[in-house]
Amino acid sequence: MKALVHVTVKPDVLDPQGRAIQRGCASLGYRGVRDVRQGKLFEIELDAPDRAAAERLLLELAAKLLANPVVEDYRVVSIED
Amino acid sequence: MKALVHVTVKPDVLDPQGRAIQRGCASLGYRGVRDVRQGKLFEIELDAPDRAAAERLLLELAAKLLANPVVEDYRVVSIED
């Protein structure tokens, strides 16, 4: 199965990388760019008996290995056979 | 408008971060995880007259600022009003 997991900085946590990119946009003349938040995405190929098992595994991995749950949110975006 | 942009390492380019995570999974006992590729996602809030203009702006930003087109692919995943 192929899955996609998103990890994003929690809304109330500062995101200095995103801020730097927003300022970069402004200094390049792109004044319409109001806010940028940078996150991570993971394309994962895995073996699991079914989608429900895959989702459980992915949520466990995200909490343990892919994200820092103190400052980041994670979400399984898609699972394809 | 709110947009989501994905930046991923090109399929034929090595992704050492993803590889390290895949090995981390294996050493934690998650043997079903066959492959991991890590990418970046950008949540962007922008002003644009319409979706077509927003998409043009986002593709330009991605090529100039968000991605390294030599080794990375980029994709505007969604644009919401």
Side-chain angles (χ1 to χ4, degrees):
Chain A
M1 292 184 186
K2 288 193 95 170
L4 181 66
V5 176
H6 278 185
V7 174
T8 50
V9 181
K10 282 183 193 284
D12 54 338
V13 174
L14 281 179
D15 173 18
Q17 279 184 300
R19 177 55 61 92
I21 291 166
Q22 189 275 326
R23 279 201 299 257
C25 292
S27 74
L28 283 175
Y30 299 105
R31 309 237 164 255
V33 178
R34 297 210 166 278
D35 191 38
V36 178
R37 306 277 290 173
Q38 181 169 345
K40 291 176 284 187
L41 67 90
F42 298 93
E43 295 166 318
I44 299 175
E45 229 179 286
L46 76 164
D47 294 334
D50 54 45
R51 270 155 194 264
E55 188 168 8
R56 272 198 306 279
L57 171 63
L58 290 162
L59 290 172
E60 214 177 302
L61 280 181
K64 280 192 188 171
L65 207 68
L66 306 180
N68 174 353
V70 177
V71 292
E72 291 173 324
D73 290 324
Y74 51 86
R75 194 160 70 85
V76 177
V77 177
S78 65
I79 302 174
E80 284 167 29
D81 291 323
Chain B
M1 293 182 186
K2 289 194 97 171
L4 181 65
V5 176
H6 279 185
V7 174
T8 50
V9 180
K10 283 183 193 283
D12 53 338
V13 175
L14 281 179
D15 172 19
Q17 280 184 301
R19 178 55 62 93
I21 291 167
Q22 189 275 327
R23 278 201 300 256
C25 292
S27 74
L28 283 174
Y30 299 106
R31 309 236 164 255
V33 179
R34 297 209 166 278
D35 189 40
V36 178
R37 306 276 293 174
Q38 180 169 347
K40 294 177 281 187
L41 68 89
F42 298 92
E43 296 168 318
I44 299 175
E45 227 178 289
L46 75 164
D47 294 334
D50 55 46
R51 271 155 192 262
E55 187 167 9
R56 272 198 307 278
L57 171 63
L58 289 163
L59 290 173
E60 213 177 303
L61 280 180
K64 281 191 187 172
L65 208 68
L66 306 180
N68 174 353
V70 177
V71 291
E72 292 172 325
D73 291 323
Y74 51 85
R75 193 160 71 87
V76 177
V77 176
S78 65
I79 302 174
E80 285 167 27
D81 291 324

